[in-house]
């Protein structure tokens, strides 16, 4: 691993690291957490009690089109989330996604991990751009992504009903050469 790779993996609050088998129980719990369900689909439903380990396999070391990394707290060393990059080498813009455990939300890990994931994609995977899909649940989140250099490239209006209201899905992109906040 080069110094550039190491720098791309360490942020203000967290570092990215490989996923371990011991992480799977925690990841499964997050995938079934109702507070996070809205982030993975258009309908909020209780998830399965035991999502298959197979859903994590496409992000493993042997994948050529995806990468999955754990987000580890710099303070506690605990796994606080996961970053995935999918669609690498395909005829599409690679998708970057971050999930942070519900008890770690609002502590700076989300934006730090998004920044680290983009850096990793650009510096270590040679990507020229990445795309995120977000729910327009809070204007503050969209503003944070814009501050990082993400630009809106598409809106799907009223596609998810959550917490008594309809919300929009927003697709945002970040180009490798235009990443002032990353």
């Amino acid at each position: 691993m080069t110094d550039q790779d190491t720098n791309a993996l360490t942020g203000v609050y967290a570092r990215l690291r490989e996923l371990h088998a011991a992480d799977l129980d925690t990841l499964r719990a997050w995938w079934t957490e109702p507070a996070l369900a809205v982030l993975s689909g258009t309908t909020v439903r209780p998830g399965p009690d035991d999502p298959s380990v197979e859903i994590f396999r496409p992000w493993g070391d042997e994948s050529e089109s995806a990468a999955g990394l754990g987000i580890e707290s710099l303070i506690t060393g605990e796994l606080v989330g996961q970053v995935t990059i999918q669609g690498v080498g395909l005829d599409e813009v690679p998708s970057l996604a971050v999930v942070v455990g519900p008890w770690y939300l609002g502590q700076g890990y989300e934006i730090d991990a998004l920044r680290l994931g983009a850096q990793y994609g650009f510096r270590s995977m040679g990507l020229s751009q990445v795309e995120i899909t977000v729910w327009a649940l809070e204007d503050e989140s969209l503003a944070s992504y814009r501050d990082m250099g993400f630009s809106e490239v598409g809106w799907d209006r009223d596609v998810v009903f959550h917490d008594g209201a309809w919300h929009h899905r927003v697709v945002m992109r970040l180009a490798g050469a235009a990443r002032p906040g990353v």
Side-chain angles (χ1 to χ4, degrees):
M1 183 177 298
T2 68
D3 286 341
Q4 188 175 13
D5 290 335
T6 301
N7 291 338
L9 296 176
T10 303
V12 176
Y13 303 103
R15 82 178 106 247
L16 300 184
R17 64 158 174 82
E18 67 183 12
L19 289 172
H20 305 293
D23 297 333
L24 293 179
D25 286 338
T26 301
L27 294 175
R28 283 186 196 126
W30 293 339
W31 277 87
T32 58
E33 172 63 39
L36 300 177
V38 69
L39 304 176
S40 62
T42 57
T43 306
V44 178
R45 303 185 177 105
D49 289 335
D50 187 19
S52 170
V53 71
E54 292 302 313
I55 67 172
F56 304 107
R57 194 170 310 285
W59 306 320
D61 291 340
E62 58 278 345
S63 176
E64 294 181 15
S65 64
L69 299 165
I71 305 166
E72 181 180 274
S73 169
L74 289 176
I75 296 170
T76 66
E78 294 176 300
L79 180 74
V80 298
Q82 177 188 17
V83 170
T84 59
I85 301 173
Q86 299 183 86
V88 176
L90 303 176
D91 291 336
E92 57 190 50
V93 177
S95 174
L96 173 63
V98 172
V99 65
V100 172
W103 42 94
Y104 300 107
L105 293 171
Q107 298 178 35
Y109 292 116
E110 305 98 324
I111 295 299
D112 205 26
L114 189 60
R115 185 177 294 113
L116 291 171
Q119 285 178 352
Y120 181 77
F122 297 138
R123 294 179 181 173
S124 299
M125 298 175 75
L127 303 180
S128 60
Q129 58 183 332
V130 293
E131 183 173 277
I132 59 174
T133 301
V134 299
W135 299 112
L137 301 173
E138 297 180 16
D139 290 336
E140 298 85 23
S141 294
L142 292 175
S144 294
Y145 304 143
R146 286 185 203 107
D147 289 346
M148 290 179 63
F150 281 90
S151 300
E152 295 169 20
V153 295
W155 277 71
D156 293 322
R157 301 206 177 273
D158 297 333
V159 294
V160 65
F161 190 77
H162 175 64
D163 204 19
W166 286 97
H167 301 281
H168 311 312
R169 177 176 37 214
V170 183
V171 177
M172 303 180 87
R173 282 194 189 142
L174 179 66
R179 54 185 200 280
V182 176

